[in-house]
């Protein structure tokens, strides 16, 4: 019999044979067509790792017979021929395909595979990019086909969804999304930010030397929130270009999103960037480490390699389970070659639920995250992304702050460590405001935050308070006009070329401007054009009443006065009928006036006054002289009074220019608007229109084809259209247009008078403010060509509707009226000027004050005369003063000589002469 050793040897051999037999029974051959596209190296390397893994793990019991087919995204015909050739060869060799493993990403290559597998009813697991409905060839497959035509989105197709989450979380209103070849965004153009109020552009990253220009163009489109979906190498290129453009400041926000597992690097001088990268689940890190170390699953990006590895492995395991369960035999094993397929003979696969087996719990631990198979477009691998705030200073990372995580999926929210930290990473809404300095609307003020102050600054502050934005103001020379080539300058050009977001100031709404930019609702009343001139200076003089008559007339009056007085004295002295020659005759008259030279001078002087000259001479000749003087005085006084009133009135009515028509009809006053202003445009176009009308009228009048009746209707003596503006525009060009407001004001002030010099034509608000702050300037005439003021924005800008809402709110709250009150009636620069005399006012003291001086001079002379009289009487007159006493009646004394009695009786006491001496009564003081 057998020894113990022989028995043991036989047992070992038997066990080995049994084990080999069992292995042969559980190992399943699987025929697979692997369809890939050129450039998808990650999928190709992951497949190789999966094949190696299957060979080293015999316990899985899978033997894969693999056929590779590679195509490109543009040549679908060649790709289809390769697929059909491979498929037909498998049918000939009776190695019927169990699975088509499709790792094409997008384009014609992907659509070719989808069309091929659907037509031939081949079970397929695809890793193509696209959400529900994006894979066109599988868009209308029936419910049975969805069980074996499976699409699972790769991580690179799910990662962009974080952009939508960030936009919603941070309330971002604009976004520039740049991506490289590691991401496929063709199908994301419409779906990524669908139903989100965010203006955005999705564009591939250009070549290295063109990235700076690309960023500049995006900035011109008012995009300040940048999302970079790329490899770390391409992210660095974009960030470096942004640093060269100084795009790292509070006006920009940068989000770097990648599949790579590395650190963010750039040569940025001072940048803060939100960095988003995949983060392996802690539960699967050991599995991932094993695959990387043992099976060399190291192709970047790791998350994509792990996804393709798990996709391949689980697809093979699912097919194995379907075959082992016997489902495959019942699902139908009909195959139709490409040559035999006619569009109506597609095989029927029933009861082949590949989706169920893919979702079946597996003994194989996921490498990066579990794959969830729901439906085409909604199936993906579960993973998470780590959000970090990275600060880069002088090319080196100086700080990193963990912000939170995002779980892959659709419409998944963020899990944040600190929500406030996210706020600091958003781009401040900072609009670029372009303006033209003009008080009181806007002017420089270094004490304010923006460096400017005025009506419009207060307005934009209130709008910013409502709409929650910040702004930066830049001033230019003019609002802008269009040249003959249709080119604009000034603020309008800045808006057209996207270098500014808002045009602010006293900007008139004009038709040609509305063709290239947009205006909000008006924030200010209709404003027209008016005239600014130097305030007329009415000359004043205290002795203006003396200037009514010329000096020669005054001298003649004075000569007539002295001559008449002297003549009256002569007539009274020599006339036998005068008082001094007939004292006895007029001794009983109450008034006894001797017309000596002093009395004659006094009589003629007082005769010119309403008081009158007093008692007239007794002699007829003297009375004729007095009557003649009275008549002369009446005429002189009447003429003087009338001329004085007229003289004072005319001096106040000296306003030669009262309207634009008055300005156009004279030549002594030059006039012009500012160069490149809306006023200049108005006059220039009015002149051009008149010129065109003239050409049209001339062509009509000289048209030989007109009938006699039609020609007669045009036969007029005068040109029927005015040429006022043509002449005015020519005069303006000859006068020279001021370059700025300062030059215009200086020219107005240099005017000699209101009837000779320079007049400025400008916006009524400009003129009004100059009048408000200057006492030597005035407005003339009514406003014309009135237009409203409004805020300008870029054409098609969403700011138009936002500003309209804000301005209407301010209008309803009466805030605009308060701004007018502040900057006009209560303006700190308002001058308190002396009131200008008008026609209703009386004669000013400056013109009539000389009369009072005459009174004071007369009183002064009287005082001097009184002093002289007293001095003359007391110290210079040597007259002996005696007291006269009444003597007692002595009739016995000698009686007075009868011859002298009449002298005593006729002479008054104060003129009594004793012993040839004159006796004067003593003055009493």
């Amino acid at each position: 019999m057998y020894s113990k050793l022989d028995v043991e040897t036989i047992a070992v051999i038997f066990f080995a044979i049994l084990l080999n037999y069992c292995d042969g029974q559980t190992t399943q051959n699987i025929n697979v067509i692997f369809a890939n596209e050129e450039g998808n190296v990650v999928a190709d390397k992951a497949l190789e790792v999966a094949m190696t893994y299957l060979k080293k793990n015999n316990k899985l019991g899978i033997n894969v017979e693999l056929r590779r087919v590679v195509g490109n995204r543009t040549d679908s015909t060649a790709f289809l021929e390769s697929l059909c050739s491979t498929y037909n060869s498998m049918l000939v060799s009776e190695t019927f395909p169990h699975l088509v493993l499709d790792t094409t990403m997008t384009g014609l290559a992907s659509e070719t595979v989808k069309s091929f597998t659907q037509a031939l009813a081949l079970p397929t697991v695809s890793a193509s990019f696209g959400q529900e409905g994006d894979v066109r060839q599988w868009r209308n497959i029936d419910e049975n086909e969805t069980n074996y035509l499976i699409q699972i989105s790769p991580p690179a197709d799910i990662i962009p969804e974080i952009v939508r989450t960030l936009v919603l979380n941070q309330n971002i209103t604009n976004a520039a999304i740049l991506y490289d070849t590691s991401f496929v965004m063709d199908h994301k153009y419409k779906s990524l930010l669908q139903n989100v109020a965010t203006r955005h552009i999705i564009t591939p990253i250009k070549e290295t030397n063109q990235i700076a220009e690309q960023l500049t163009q995006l900035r011109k489109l008012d995009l300040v929130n940048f999302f970079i979906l790329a490899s770390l190498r391409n992210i660095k290129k974009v960030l470096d270009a942004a640093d060269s453009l100084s795009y790292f400041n509070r006006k920009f926000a940068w989000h770097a999103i990648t599949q790579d597992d590395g650190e963010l690097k750039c040569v940025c001088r001072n940048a803060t960037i939100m960095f988003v990268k995949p983060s392996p689940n802690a539960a699967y890190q050991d599995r991932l480490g094993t695959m990387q170390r043992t099976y060399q699953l190291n192709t970047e990006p790791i998350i994509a390699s792990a996804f393709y590895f798990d996709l391949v492995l689980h697809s093979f395991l699912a097919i194995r389970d379907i075959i082992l369960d016997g489902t495959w035999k019942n699902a139908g094993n009909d195959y139709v070659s490409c040559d035999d397929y006619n569009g109506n003979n597609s095989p029927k696969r029933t009861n082949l639920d590949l989706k169920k087996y893919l979702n079946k719990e597996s003994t194989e631990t996921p490498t990066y995250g579990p794959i969830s198979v729901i439906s085409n477009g909604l199936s993906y691998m579960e993973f998470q992304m780590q959000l970090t705030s990275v600060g880069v200073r002088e090319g080196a990372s100086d700080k990193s702050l963990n912000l939170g995580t995002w779980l892959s999926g659709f419409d998944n929210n963020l899990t944040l460590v600190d929500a406030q930290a996210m706020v600091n990473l958003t781009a401040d809404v900072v609009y670029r405001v372009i303006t033209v300095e003009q008080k009181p609307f806007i002017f420089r003020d270094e004490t304010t935050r923006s460096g400017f102050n005025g009506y419009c600054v207060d307005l934009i502050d209130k709008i910013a308070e409502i709409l929650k934005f910040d702004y930066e103001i830049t001033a230019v020379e003019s609002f802008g006009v269009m040249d003959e080539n249709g080119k604009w300058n000034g603020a309008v050009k800045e808006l057209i070329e996207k270098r500014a977001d808002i045009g602010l100031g006293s900007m008139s709404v004009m038709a040609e401007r509305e063709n290239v930019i947009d205006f909000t609702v008006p924030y200010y009343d209709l404003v027209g054009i008016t005239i600014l001139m130097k305030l007329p200076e009415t000359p004043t003089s205290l002795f203006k009443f003396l200037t009514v008559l010329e000096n020669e007339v005054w001298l003649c009056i004075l000569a007539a006065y002295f001559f008449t007085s002297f003549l009256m004295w002569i007539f009274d002295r020599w006339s036998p009928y005068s008082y001094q020659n007939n004292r006895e005759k007029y001794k009983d008259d109450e008034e006894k006036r001797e017309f000596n030279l002093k009395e004659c001078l006094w009589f003629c002087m007082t005769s010119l006054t309403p008081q009158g000259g007093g008692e007239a001479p007794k002699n007829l000749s003297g009375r004729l002289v007095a009557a003649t003087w009275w008549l002369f005085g009446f005429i002189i006084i009447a003429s003087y009074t009338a001329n004085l009133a007229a003289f004072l009135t005319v001096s106040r009515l000296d306003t030669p220019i009262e309207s634009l028509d008055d300005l156009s009809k004279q030549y002594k006053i030059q006039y012009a608007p500012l160069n490149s202003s809306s006023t200049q445009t108005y006059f220039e176009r009015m002149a051009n229109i008149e010129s065109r009308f003239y050409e049209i009228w001339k062509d009509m009048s000289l048209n030989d084809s007109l009938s006699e009746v039609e020609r007669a209707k045009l036969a007029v003596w005068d040109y029927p259209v005015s040429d006022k503006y043509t002449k005015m525009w020519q005069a303006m060009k000859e006068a020279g247009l001021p370059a700025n407001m300062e030059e215009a004001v200086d020219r107005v002030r240099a005017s000699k008078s209101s009837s000779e010099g320079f007049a400025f034509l400008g916006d009524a608000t400009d003129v009004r403010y100059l009048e408000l702050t200057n006492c030597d300037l005035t407005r003339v005439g009514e406003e014309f060509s009135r237009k409203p003021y409004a805020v300008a924005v870029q054409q098609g800008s969403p700011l138009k509707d936002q500003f309209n809402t804000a301005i209407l709110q301010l209008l309803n709250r009466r805030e605009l009226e308060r701004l007018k009150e502040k900057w006009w009636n209560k303006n700190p620069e308002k001058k308190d000027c002396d009131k200008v005399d008008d026609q209703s006012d009386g004669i000013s003291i400056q013109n009539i004050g000389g009369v009072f001086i005459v009174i004071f001079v007369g009183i002064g002379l009287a005082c001097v005369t009184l002093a002289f009289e007293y001095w003359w009487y007391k110290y210079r007159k040597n007259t002996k003063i005696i007291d006269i006493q009444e003597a007692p009646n002595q009739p016995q004394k000698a009686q007075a000589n009868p011859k002298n009695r009449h002298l005593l009786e006729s002479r008054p006491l104060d003129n009594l002469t004793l012993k040839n001496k004159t006796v004067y009564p003593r003055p009493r003081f």
Side-chain angles (χ1 to χ4, degrees):
M1 299 300 297
Y2 299 103
S3 65
K4 183 179 180 180
L5 179 61
D6 293 336
V7 172
E8 292 179 355
T9 302
I10 293 171
V12 170
I13 293 173
F14 177 80
F15 180 79
I17 294 171
L18 180 63
L19 180 62
N20 186 45
Y21 175 79
C22 293
D23 286 344
Q25 291 295 322
T26 58
T27 299
Q28 180 62 52
N29 292 323
I30 299 176
N31 303 321
V32 177
I33 298 176
F34 176 60
N36 195 14
E37 69 175 49
E38 296 174 356
N40 193 359
V41 179
V42 178
D44 195 60
K45 295 291 184 182
L47 176 65
E48 292 179 0
V49 173
M51 297 294 291
T52 303
Y53 183 81
L54 291 174
K55 290 178 182 178
K56 290 185 177 182
N57 292 272
N58 293 328
K59 64 179 182 178
L60 297 178
I62 299 176
N63 181 36
V64 178
E65 182 69 26
L66 189 69
R67 302 291 184 95
R68 295 174 182 267
V69 181
V70 180
N72 59 58
R73 298 184 185 180
T74 57
D75 191 354
S76 60
T77 303
F79 194 19
L80 181 59
E81 290 177 355
S82 298
L83 286 171
C84 285
S85 175
T86 301
Y87 172 67
N88 289 336
S89 65
M90 295 179 72
L91 295 184
V92 171
S93 62
E94 295 186 353
T95 54
F96 303 107
H98 297 98
L99 175 69
V100 175
L101 187 61
D102 174 24
T103 57
T104 57
M105 292 188 289
T106 187
L108 291 177
S110 175
E111 297 299 331
T112 300
V113 175
K114 306 301 184 296
S115 177
F116 170 77
T117 56
Q118 181 191 11
L120 301 177
L122 299 177
T124 304
V125 175
S126 173
S128 296
F129 288 67
Q131 274 62 65
E132 188 174 7
D134 291 332
V135 182
R136 293 187 300 171
Q137 297 300 327
W138 286 2
R139 188 177 298 169
N140 298 317
I141 58 177
D142 57 33
E143 184 177 356
N144 180 60
E145 289 175 319
T146 59
N147 290 328
Y148 63 86
L149 299 177
I150 309 298
Q151 182 228 347
I152 302 174
S153 299
D157 195 24
I158 302 300
I159 290 176
E161 293 297 322
I162 195 174
V163 174
R164 181 184 181 91
T165 303
L166 290 172
V167 166
L168 293 173
N169 180 271
Q170 296 180 282
N171 195 25
I172 294 174
T173 58
N174 63 82
I177 303 170
L178 296 92
Y179 65 94
D180 65 3
T181 54
S182 62
F183 290 88
V184 175
M185 303 292 289
D186 298 348
H187 58 287
K188 297 285 188 181
Y189 284 104
K190 292 183 179 180
S191 63
L192 183 59
L193 294 177
Q194 189 175 15
N195 299 325
V196 179
T198 299
R199 187 167 48 88
H200 65 281
I201 287 180
I202 302 176
T203 180
I205 299 173
K206 294 186 177 181
E207 297 296 329
T208 304
N209 59 349
Q210 298 178 338
I211 294 178
E213 181 182 356
Q214 182 182 22
L215 295 179
T216 303
Q217 294 299 324
L218 292 173
R219 178 66 184 90
K220 289 180 178 180
L221 297 176
D222 301 328
L223 302 175
V224 295
N225 297 280
F226 290 87
F227 294 86
I228 311 170
L229 297 161
S231 63
L232 289 174
R233 180 171 56 87
N234 287 330
I235 288 175
K236 181 180 182 300
K237 292 179 181 179
V238 176
L239 294 179
D240 291 346
D243 184 73
S244 67
L245 297 171
S246 300
Y247 278 4
F248 290 111
N249 53 54
R250 69 189 184 98
K251 295 189 292 184
F252 298 90
W254 291 89
H255 308 78
I257 304 170
T258 185
Q259 300 180 77
D260 295 346
D261 187 15
E263 298 302 324
L264 180 67
K265 296 181 180 179
C266 71
V267 293
C268 309
R269 290 163 291 181
N270 187 2
T272 300
I273 304 158
M274 181 186 290
F275 182 45
V276 183
K277 68 176 183 178
S279 175
N281 193 312
Y284 311 120
Q285 283 185 346
D286 292 340
R287 167 80 170 181
L288 178 62
T290 301
M291 298 307 300
Q292 289 179 307
R293 292 188 302 272
T294 306
Y295 296 96
Q296 305 304 313
L297 187 67
N298 295 318
T299 306
E300 292 286 347
I302 297 299
I303 187 174
S305 295
F307 165 76
Y308 283 120
F309 173 80
D310 284 346
L311 181 71
V312 171
L313 183 59
H314 286 80
S315 297
F316 291 168
L317 292 174
I319 294 297
R320 183 202 65 180
D321 293 342
I322 292 174
I323 295 174
L324 293 177
D325 289 349
T327 305
W328 186 265
K329 295 180 180 180
N330 299 327
N333 296 316
D334 296 336
Y335 293 94
V336 177
S337 66
C338 291
D339 297 333
D340 295 335
Y341 177 73
N342 58 14
N344 297 318
N345 58 348
S346 297
K348 302 298 181 182
R349 307 269 180 220
T350 58
N351 301 321
L352 182 58
D353 197 348
L354 180 58
K355 183 191 300 183
K356 181 181 74 173
Y357 284 89
L358 286 172
N359 283 324
K360 185 178 179 181
E361 186 175 352
S362 175
T363 57
E364 293 296 317
T365 305
T367 306
Y368 208 95
I371 296 178
S372 174
V373 182
I374 301 173
S375 62
N376 293 347
L378 297 177
S379 303
Y380 54 88
M381 182 179 73
E382 296 178 2
F383 60 93
Q384 67 180 15
M385 302 288 286
Q386 185 69 40
L387 281 71
T388 308
S389 173
V390 179
V392 182
R393 304 293 180 269
E394 302 301 332
S397 176
D398 66 342
K399 62 179 180 179
S400 179
L401 176 65
N402 181 25
L403 300 175
T405 58
W406 175 77
L407 186 63
S408 63
F410 301 96
D411 297 325
N412 287 349
N413 209 343
L414 302 173
T415 302
L416 300 176
V417 176
D418 182 8
Q420 187 61 35
M422 293 289 291
V423 176
N424 298 330
L425 293 173
T426 59
D428 292 343
V429 182
V430 181
Y431 293 127
R432 298 161 296 174
V433 178
I434 198 75
T435 188
V436 175
E437 293 183 48
Q438 177 197 344
K439 293 183 177 181
F441 289 97
I442 192 164
F443 56 90
R444 292 192 181 272
D445 185 355
E446 299 302 330
T447 62
T448 62
R449 178 182 56 84
S450 63
F452 290 85
N453 203 352
Y455 180 101
C456 288
V457 175
D458 288 350
L459 175 66
I460 197 71
D461 284 340
K462 292 183 181 297
I463 295 175
E465 189 177 326
I466 297 173
L467 301 180
K468 308 299 181 185
F469 67 84
D470 200 355
Y471 61 89
E472 295 176 347
I473 301 180
T474 304
V476 294
E477 292 297 325
S478 65
F479 287 116
V481 294
M482 184 173 57
D483 61 17
E484 295 297 329
N485 299 320
K487 303 296 183 180
W488 285 87
N489 60 9
V492 177
K493 180 180 179 181
E494 298 296 313
L495 290 170
I496 294 174
E497 297 182 356
K498 311 295 184 183
R499 291 195 293 268
D501 304 300
I502 301 168
L504 186 67
S506 56
M507 195 170 186
S508 301
V509 179
M510 302 171 64
E512 62 271 22
R513 288 176 178 171
E514 288 188 296
N515 291 330
V516 293
I517 59 175
D518 287 341
F519 285 96
T520 65
V521 294
Y523 69 85
Y524 202 83
D525 301 333
L526 292 173
V527 177
I529 302 171
T530 190
I531 306 168
L532 177 71
M533 295 185 67
K534 186 176 182 180
L535 187 68
E537 297 179 358
T538 304
T540 60
S541 174
L542 290 175
F543 297 96
K544 196 164 188 176
F545 62 92
L546 296 177
T547 61
V548 176
L549 302 178
E550 295 183 357
N551 294 334
E552 293 81 356
V553 177
W554 285 116
L555 291 176
C556 290
I557 293 174
L558 190 61
Y561 165 71
F562 284 112
F563 176 74
T564 304
S565 299
F566 179 76
L567 190 63
M568 185 177 293
W569 173 65
I570 293 296
F571 283 7
D572 192 79
R573 185 175 183 83
W574 294 101
S575 174
Y577 298 100
S578 63
Y579 169 76
Q580 60 180 323
N581 294 326
N582 287 281
R583 295 181 184 274
E584 186 67 26
K585 180 180 178 181
Y586 301 109
K587 64 180 180 179
D588 296 330
D589 288 354
E590 293 181 359
E591 295 182 2
K592 300 177 177 64
R593 188 174 186 179
E594 182 179 346
F595 278 85
N596 52 25
L597 186 58
K598 181 184 70 172
E599 288 294 324
C600 289
L601 291 171
W602 181 254
F603 176 84
C604 289
M605 179 181 294
T606 56
S607 295
L608 297 176
T609 65
Q611 184 64 30
E615 184 183 0
K618 301 295 185 180
N619 56 320
L620 182 60
S621 59
R623 292 190 175 189
L624 288 174
V625 172
T628 302
W629 176 251
W630 288 342
L631 181 60
F632 171 79
F634 172 76
I635 296 173
I636 289 297
I637 295 300
S639 300
Y640 175 83
T641 304
N643 279 278
L644 177 62
F647 191 80
L648 294 175
T649 303
V650 169
S651 64
R652 287 179 290 161
L653 294 178
D654 186 19
T655 54
I657 303 300
E658 294 184 351
S659 65
L660 185 66
D661 289 336
D662 294 340
L663 200 63
S664 65
K665 293 175 183 177
Q666 55 78 48
Y667 60 91
K668 291 185 178 181
I669 301 176
Q670 294 182 328
Y671 49 90
L674 285 182
N675 192 21
S676 300
S677 65
S678 59
T679 307
Q680 176 209 352
T681 304
Y682 170 78
F683 282 101
E684 184 177 10
R685 290 185 176 175
M686 290 295 287
N688 291 336
I689 290 173
E690 287 181 348
S691 177
R692 288 188 178 185
F693 282 167
Y694 173 74
E695 294 297 329
I696 294 171
W697 174 77
K698 184 176 67 174
D699 292 341
M700 291 174 61
S701 300
L702 300 178
N703 189 355
D704 294 335
S705 63
L706 295 178
S707 64
E708 293 296 332
V709 176
E710 292 174 337
R711 187 177 290 108
K713 293 179 179 179
L714 298 174
V716 293
W717 292 106
D718 298 324
Y719 174 55
V721 180
S722 171
D723 59 349
K724 179 178 83 172
Y725 289 98
T726 303
K727 294 178 180 178
M728 291 189 71
W729 176 239
Q730 183 63 32
M732 291 176 186
K733 291 190 292 184
E734 293 175 357
L737 277 65
N740 50 53
M741 191 65 70
E742 289 75 16
E743 180 184 345
V745 173
D746 290 342
R747 290 179 66 178
V748 171
R749 284 202 174 107
S751 301
K752 294 181 180 180
S753 66
S754 60
S755 59
E756 185 177 359
F758 181 80
F760 170 65
L761 295 166
D763 285 352
T765 50
D766 292 343
V767 174
R768 179 185 173 190
Y769 187 77
L770 290 171
E771 182 186 37
L772 188 74
T773 56
N774 296 274
C775 292
D776 57 343
L777 303 176
T778 184
R779 283 181 294 170
V780 176
E782 298 292 332
E783 297 181 24
F784 56 94
S785 182
R786 302 179 71 191
K787 296 177 288 292
Y789 287 164
V791 179
V793 295
Q794 297 173 7
Q795 196 167 47
S797 172
L799 288 177
K800 177 181 178 181
D801 293 335
Q802 298 175 22
F803 272 50
N804 285 344
T805 303
I807 291 173
L808 291 175
Q809 289 183 23
L810 296 175
L811 184 63
N812 292 334
R813 300 204 305 251
R814 305 179 71 86
E815 292 290 344
L816 300 183
E817 294 183 16
R818 294 187 183 94
L819 290 181
K820 288 182 183 179
E821 180 71 16
K822 174 183 176 181
W823 289 105
W824 289 108
N825 297 336
K826 297 180 180 179
N827 194 301
E829 295 187 1
K830 181 179 180 181
K831 294 292 183 65
D832 188 11
C833 304
D834 294 336
K835 183 180 178 181
V836 180
D837 294 339
D838 56 32
Q839 299 180 23
S840 63
D841 293 336
I843 300 174
S844 63
I845 190 66
Q846 289 85 356
N847 291 324
I848 203 67
V851 175
F852 298 94
I853 294 177
V854 170
I855 294 175
F856 294 133
V857 170
I859 294 174
L861 289 175
C863 294
V864 172
T865 303
L866 176 63
F868 176 77
E869 287 178 343
Y870 179 76
W871 174 79
W872 179 268
Y873 178 82
K874 187 173 183 180
Y875 298 103
R876 301 293 296 174
K877 193 72 172 176
N878 294 324
T879 304
K880 184 176 180 181
I881 307 300
I882 62 173
D883 292 332
I884 300 177
Q885 297 180 356
E886 184 178 356
N889 294 329
Q890 296 179 358
Q892 67 275 12
K893 296 253 176 116
Q895 296 182 351
N897 190 347
K899 295 182 178 180
N900 297 327
R901 184 178 301 167
H902 70 279
L903 295 176
L904 292 175
E905 294 176 353
S906 62
R907 293 183 181 180
L909 181 62
D910 58 353
N911 202 23
L912 182 64
T913 301
L914 297 177
K915 296 182 180 179
N916 297 325
K917 291 184 179 180
T918 304
V919 181
Y920 295 90
R922 183 182 297 273
R924 297 180 180 181
F925 302 96

